[in-house]
């Protein structure tokens, strides 16, 4: 049995056992789901000051320590979810040519350099999956002096990427194709090292499945956006995941993505306004219609929020075909939304403690898929979380 298999099975058992604390929708809950089953946790959450809440939201280690008093399994879960930092491969990072980083945002550039630094060098041609403008491919071509095939769906990105590669004199060939289309499978070949840095959801899963089918020599992916899937619920990949009792919705799969680099004050304030407005409108519609289910409304342009709560309610009501009649005390419902926001934040605080364990459940499922296909697999982090919270790399190479 592999370490991935053992960790997956233990995480699966604990996530299933504790799912009342993470597998729910805070917006749809009028109270803590554990109010009666774990009253001590409820009392502790209610007593948190806004400063305490903010500090815990930004310090995962402190959050786990505090919550462990009420949820003793958390330290074990986080120990199972802990993975090593991958060691840099020193001989593949020569001085990069001038102009290689032109047009690449600073944080993205740092992610690319970190990803490249830990890639094993198999001296094979590269396949860059969901390449965009080929930012990663540029570094691969320059550092490893091997050909790169960059597959991308958007034609404008392939054109810009090919132009930049030609100007830089890099051996890159861009192919415009849908990663899900059958013709894309033709670019995946046995004598390749396939890579995907932050390919979303089913895009990176599709790559892993096709690599396994083609017996491609090696693949390295950094998963992202687990919720961007073509089915309504998660489709398990490996035998242990298929045997699991867990059924993951797109809402569940969004959880790991909510662990972001610390947001600035402006972003936090904007989120408070939008979420409290949504919750306030929901409280209002429940009062008017007698409907006790949460009523989601579409995404809203951030500029609209500047017009105030009354305007938001009128816009949201129009979106849902709900007439707003009579004398409505909008200030009252705005205050209701702000109060609900504070409750939802405390529910999200508890869910946050399960984010990395759930993400590692998903990562190990992918790793086990490749192991079952006969690949040697390693899992680790390629950079620190401030560079990107999506810092996990799965590397699989075909066993000889």
């Amino acid at each position: 049995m592999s370490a991935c298999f053992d960790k997956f099975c233990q995480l699966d058992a604990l996530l299933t056992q504790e799912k009342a604390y993470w597998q729910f929708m805070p917006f749809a809950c009028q109270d803590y789901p554990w109010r009666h089953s774990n009253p001590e946790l409820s009392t502790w959450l209610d007593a948190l000051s806004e400063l305490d809440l903010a500090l815990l939201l930004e310090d995962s280690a402190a959050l786990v320590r505090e919550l462990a008093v009420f949820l003793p399994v958390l330290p074990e879960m986080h120990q199972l979810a802990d993975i090593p930092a991958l060691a840099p491969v020193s001989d593949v990072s020569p001085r990069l040519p001038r102009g290689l980083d032109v047009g690449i945002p600073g944080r993205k550039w740092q992610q690319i350099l970190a990803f490249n630094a830990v890639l094993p060098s198999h001296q094979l041609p590269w396949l860059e999956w969901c390449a965009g403008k080929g930012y990663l491919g540029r570094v691969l071509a320059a550092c490893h002096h091997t050909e790169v095939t960059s597959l991308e769906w958007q034609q404008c990105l392939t054109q810009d990427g090919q132009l930049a590669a030609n100007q830089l004199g890099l051996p890159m060939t861009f192919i415009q194709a849908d990663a899900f289309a059958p013709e894309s499978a033709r670019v995946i070949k046995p004598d390749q090292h396939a890579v995907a840095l932050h390919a979303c959801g089913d895009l990176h899963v599709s790559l892993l499945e096709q690599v396994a089918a083609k017996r491609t020599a090696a693949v390295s992916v950094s998963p992202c956006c687990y919720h961007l899937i073509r089915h309504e619920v998660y489709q398990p990949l490996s035998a242990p995941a298929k045997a699991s009792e867990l059924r993951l919705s797109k809402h569940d799969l969004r959880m790991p993505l909510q662990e972001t680099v610390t947001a600035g004050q402006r972003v936090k304030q904007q989120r408070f306004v939008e979420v409290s407005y949504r919750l306030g409108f929901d409280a209002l519609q429940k009062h008017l219609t007698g409907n006790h289910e949460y009523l989601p409304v579409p995404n809203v342009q951030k500029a609209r929020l500047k017009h105030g709560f009354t305007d938001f309610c009128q816009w949201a009501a129009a979106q849902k075909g709900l007439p707003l009649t009579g004398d409505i005390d909008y200030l009252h419902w705005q205050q209701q939304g702000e109060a609900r926001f504070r409750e939802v934040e405390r529910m999200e605080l508890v869910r946050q403690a399960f984010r990395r364990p759930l993400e590692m459940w998903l990562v190990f499922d992918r790793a086990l898929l490749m192991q079952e296909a006969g690949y040697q697999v390693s899992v680790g982090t390629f950079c620190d979380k401030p560079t990107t919270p999506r810092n996990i790399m799965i590397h699989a190479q075909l066993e000889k």
Side-chain angles (χ1 to χ4, degrees):
M1 295 296 179
S2 70
C4 285
F5 177 86
D6 291 341
K7 286 190 170 188
F8 177 89
C9 291
Q10 292 176 70
L11 277 173
D12 181 63
L14 293 174
L15 283 166
T16 302
Q17 172 189 308
E18 303 296 324
K19 64 183 180 180
Y21 295 98
W22 63 269
Q23 198 171 37
F24 65 96
M25 295 182 66
F27 271 36
C29 296
Q30 293 304 307
D31 196 3
Y32 304 131
W34 51 83
R35 172 69 74 181
H36 300 296
S37 60
N38 197 336
E40 295 85 2
L41 172 59
S42 304
T43 301
W44 177 77
L45 289 168
D46 288 337
L48 286 177
S49 69
E50 296 306 307
L51 177 59
D52 291 335
L53 184 66
L55 291 173
L56 289 171
L57 283 169
E58 294 179 4
D59 189 340
S60 296
L63 174 61
V64 170
R65 286 195 303 271
E66 294 283 346
L67 283 176
V69 175
F70 314 101
L71 299 171
V73 301
L74 279 177
E76 180 184 357
M77 292 181 75
H78 278 261
Q79 187 174 11
L80 291 167
D82 189 37
I83 53 176
L86 296 170
V89 181
S90 59
D91 61 347
V92 296
S93 298
R95 186 180 299 275
L96 296 173
R98 289 172 61 87
L100 206 65
D101 60 342
V102 170
I104 306 177
R107 181 173 286 167
K108 187 67 177 178
W109 179 243
Q110 294 304 316
Q111 293 168 17
I112 289 168
L113 293 181
F115 188 86
N116 174 67
V118 301
L119 281 174
S121 182
H122 299 294
Q123 296 302 307
L124 291 168
W126 300 93
L127 170 62
E128 184 186 16
W129 195 250
C130 302
K133 294 183 180 181
Y135 292 156
L136 172 61
R138 291 183 199 175
V139 174
L140 297 176
C143 285
H144 301 267
H145 307 291
T146 45
E147 294 181 356
V148 178
T149 300
S150 299
L151 183 136
E152 169 55 41
W153 166 237
Q154 296 186 61
Q155 187 173 12
C156 61
L157 299 183
T158 63
Q159 291 172 341
D160 290 348
Q162 190 67 69
L163 178 62
N166 294 344
Q167 290 173 340
L168 291 163
L170 297 173
M172 298 178 67
T173 302
F174 280 77
I175 296 176
Q176 190 270 321
D178 180 354
F180 294 129
E183 60 266 23
S184 294
R186 291 198 290 268
V187 306
I188 302 175
K189 300 173 182 177
D191 59 339
Q192 280 178 332
H193 186 164
V195 293
L197 174 57
H198 295 158
C200 294
D202 278 349
L203 290 169
H204 71 256
V205 170
S206 173
L207 175 62
L208 292 174
E209 291 175 331
Q210 293 188 69
V211 160
K214 291 288 188 78
R215 314 305 290 159
T216 300
V219 60
S220 305
V221 303
S222 175
C224 186
C225 300
Y226 303 95
H227 64 290
L228 295 180
I229 56 177
R230 290 167 289 179
H231 294 84
E232 284 305 307
V233 296
Y234 180 70
Q235 304 298 299
L237 304 172
S238 65
K242 290 174 181 176
S244 171
E245 294 179 19
L246 287 180
R247 296 294 178 267
L248 302 176
S249 68
K250 290 182 180 179
H251 175 73
D252 298 328
L253 296 173
R254 286 180 184 273
M255 264 181 62
L257 280 299
Q258 293 170 310
E259 184 179 18
T260 57
V261 175
T262 302
Q265 194 57 44
R266 184 185 64 82
V267 174
K268 291 178 183 176
Q269 179 61 25
Q270 191 174 66
R271 179 177 178 276
F272 166 73
V273 171
E274 180 174 355
V275 174
S276 64
Y277 279 14
R278 288 178 179 277
L279 292 168
F281 171 73
D282 186 60
L284 171 59
Q285 71 85 16
K286 285 185 171 77
H287 172 73
L288 294 176
T289 66
N291 168 34
H292 295 296
E293 299 295 319
Y294 175 72
L295 183 67
V297 296
N299 290 333
V300 61
Q301 292 183 341
K302 304 307 178 191
R304 178 174 288 278
L305 300 174
K306 297 178 182 177
H307 298 300
F309 179 69
T310 301
D311 177 83
F312 177 84
C313 287
Q314 291 167 349
W315 169 82
Q319 300 299 307
K320 307 305 289 189
L322 174 67
L324 294 182
T325 57
D327 186 18
I328 297 174
D329 184 353
Y330 286 101
L331 178 59
H332 168 76
W333 296 111
Q334 181 176 355
Q335 290 170 342
Q336 289 289 305
E338 291 172 358
R340 285 280 295 120
F341 175 86
R342 288 189 284 272
E343 294 169 355
V344 165
E345 283 287 270
R346 283 154 177 76
M347 293 185 211
E348 289 288 8
L349 187 70
V350 175
R351 293 182 80 234
Q352 178 170 299
F354 292 88
R355 285 175 188 163
R356 195 64 163 191
L358 177 60
E359 180 167 20
M360 290 313 304
W361 187 99
L362 294 164
V363 168
F364 289 140
D365 185 26
R366 287 148 175 76
L368 289 169
L369 167 73
M370 300 310 291
Q371 282 189 0
E372 291 169 2
Y375 283 76
Q376 217 172 10
V377 181
S378 61
V379 176
T381 60
F382 65 90
C383 66
D384 59 14
K385 281 192 177 183
T387 303
T388 174
R390 307 280 69 76
N391 62 352
I392 298 168
M393 178 190 285
I394 303 167
H395 175 72
Q397 59 190 72
L398 198 57
E399 292 188 30
K400 296 180 181 178

